[in-house]
Amino acid sequence: MTILVIGATGRVGRHVVDQLVRRDADVRVLTRDAAKAAFPAGVAVMEGDLLDIDSLRKAFAGISTVFLLNAVTGDEFTKAILTLNIAREAGVERVVYLSVFQAEQAVNVPHFAVKSGAERMLDSMGFGATILRPTYFIDNEVMVKDVIVGHGVYPMPIGSKGVAMVDARDIAEVAAIELIRRETAAEKLPIETINLVGPETLTGPAVAAIWSEVLGRPVVYGGDDPSGFEQTMATFMPRWMAYEMRLMAERYVSHGMIPEDGDRERLTVMLGRPLHAYRDFARDLVAA
């Protein structure tokens, strides 16, 4: 049978597809623009949109397992609801869903609330699912690299509680492992939740210190000011999204994203290797 990957063109989704191909899975992706999609040979590419019911139905035909990643958009919840309904209609019971760390504890942040709602849908609709709950993506630092390198300031207001940032490659590999496990199981497996975290819990000043080391010159932390962060984000994204990013940053400052006991050990056992570290990512980003 075939695994459908939704959200295949983003930072995580591309790695998920690659990991599945390495494991000889039969993979289909759904993308809004097939002409711009570049995937490994053998991956079936279908064009469509999560608000287009006809294209969703075509995408789910002959599918046994689905990876669902909903991008942060103003209609994210509608897309999640429609996709899960069409999946059930098509008889698909096996899902790996990309949620967010502590989704139910930050319901004032729209995409946290959406993902918490989708988790409840998976449970109430009787899916067998792995719910992946990643912390802040290390890969997001691509957006602020120029500020760090050009101005010597780490601008993300992540606070002093600590955030266990996770690499997209680790997220994707765990997702692929779970997709294959569910795909090959003799019967539908129960719902399971996995926290996806990094090897270190880093504060704003600690991240600035890493950048100072990597660049060989001082980098300072910009401070715990989500309002200033919102204004910066609004220069290159919609205002509603910039405000949502502020709300998320306020959560980092007030609570952090701190792993639960055993989270890291569970991931290293699953992967059979250490988790990707922030310092190594920063070095690679500068080198690139």
Side-chain angles (χ1 to χ4, degrees):
M1 297 291 283
T2 302
I3 297 173
L4 174 65
V5 178
I6 296 177
T9 59
R11 287 191 295 269
V12 172
R14 286 189 178 277
H15 289 303
V16 172
V17 172
D18 289 342
Q19 287 289 336
L20 289 173
V21 169
R22 291 180 193 177
R23 290 166 170 78
D24 297 321
D26 186 6
V27 182
R28 180 186 300 170
V29 302
L30 178 65
T31 179
R32 285 175 295 179
D33 190 349
K36 295 181 180 179
F39 294 105
V43 173
V45 180
M46 296 193 68
E47 191 168 88
D49 187 274
L50 298 186
L51 296 178
D52 181 343
I53 299 302
D54 289 338
S55 67
L56 268 180
R57 285 181 170 141
K58 289 178 182 177
F60 272 103
I63 292 298
S64 49
T65 306
V66 61
F67 174 74
L68 177 57
L69 187 164
N70 286 114
V72 176
T73 61
D75 51 11
E76 180 183 354
F77 200 20
T78 299
K79 290 178 177 178
I81 292 170
L82 292 176
T83 303
L84 290 176
N85 273 291
I86 295 300
R88 184 173 65 174
E89 176 186 293
V92 177
E93 296 181 321
R94 303 169 189 223
V95 179
V96 173
Y97 177 66
L98 193 72
S99 184
V100 66
F101 190 77
Q102 297 178 336
E104 80 291 350
Q105 296 183 30
V107 292
N108 68 308
V109 182
H111 66 279
F112 281 60
V114 165
K115 289 170 171 58
S116 179
E119 289 185 12
R120 294 196 301 274
M121 286 181 63
L122 287 164
D123 185 26
S124 65
M125 293 170 72
F127 285 99
T130 299
I131 296 169
L132 302 178
R133 287 183 150 197
T135 57
Y136 176 90
F137 291 9
I138 293 177
D139 306 64
N140 288 340
E141 306 297 66
V142 171
M143 296 187 298
V144 296
K145 173 195 170 186
D146 290 345
V147 176
I148 299 168
V149 174
H151 300 280
V153 176
Y154 178 69
M156 295 295 297
I158 62 172
S160 60
K161 301 288 185 182
V163 176
M165 300 185 194
V166 62
D167 192 290
R169 292 168 293 183
D170 294 337
I171 298 171
E173 190 167 350
V174 171
I177 289 168
E178 284 299 296
L179 285 163
I180 297 295
R181 183 173 74 92
R182 290 189 177 274
E183 169 74 3
T184 57
E187 57 186 17
K188 180 180 72 175
L189 302 174
I191 287 181
E192 186 173 351
T193 299
I194 300 175
N195 288 335
L196 297 174
V197 302
E200 304 168 285
T201 302
L202 299 169
T203 64
V207 172
I210 289 173
W211 280 104
S212 296
E213 175 191 326
V214 169
L215 295 175
R217 51 187 167 82
V219 174
V220 299
Y221 175 50
D224 301 345
D225 181 14
S227 63
F229 176 63
E230 176 192 356
Q231 298 307 312
T232 301
M233 293 295 102
T235 63
F236 61 88
M237 64 175 58
R239 290 286 309 194
W240 69 264
M241 187 179 290
Y243 181 64
E244 179 165 348
M245 296 302 103
R246 170 186 176 159
L247 294 173
M248 181 179 67
E250 288 176 349
R251 175 76 186 178
Y252 296 153
V253 172
S254 64
H255 290 79
M257 282 189 158
I258 301 170
E260 297 176 7
D261 291 343
D263 281 346
R264 290 186 174 110
E265 292 77 9
R266 180 184 191 182
L267 295 173
T268 53
V269 169
M270 287 185 71
L271 296 170
R273 59 166 175 80
L275 297 164
H276 286 94
Y278 186 99
R279 180 176 283 98
D280 294 334
F281 181 89
R283 288 194 182 113
D284 292 342
L285 188 59
V286 170

